[in-house]
């Protein structure tokens, strides 16, 4: 079980993304689109086109 800090803000993407992108590509997409750096207390949840998979881009993932 993971305990998330109260200061963590989670954004959920409404449009599908290309899952061939790596972690760095998704972090860059979040930074360009939202203006938020996933390494600074923000987590972004991306979904695949068929909505059967998700990827989470977060600074916490680097710590795990």
């Amino acid at each position: 079980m993971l305990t998330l800090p109260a200061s963590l803000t989670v954004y959920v993407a409404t449009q599908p993304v290309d899952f061939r992108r790596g972690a760095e590509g998704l972090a860059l997409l979040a930074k360009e689109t939202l203006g938020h750096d996933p390494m600074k207390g923000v987590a972004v949840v991306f979904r695949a086109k068929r909505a059967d998979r998700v990827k989470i881009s977060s600074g916490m993932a680097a710590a795990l």
Side-chain angles (χ1 to χ4, degrees), residues 1-15:
M1 174 183 253
L2 295 175
T3 303
L4 301 175
S7 62
L8 181 69
T9 303
V10 179
Y11 293 96
V12 179
T14 58
Q15 300 295 317

Side-chain angles (χ1 to χ4, degrees), residues 7-32:
S7 62
L8 181 69
T9 303
V10 179
Y11 293 96
V12 179
T14 58
Q15 300 295 317
V17 296
D18 183 3
F19 264 30
R20 293 176 291 183
R21 290 181 182 224
E24 293 84 11
L26 291 175
L28 181 63
L29 179 65
K31 189 172 185 177
E32 290 175 348

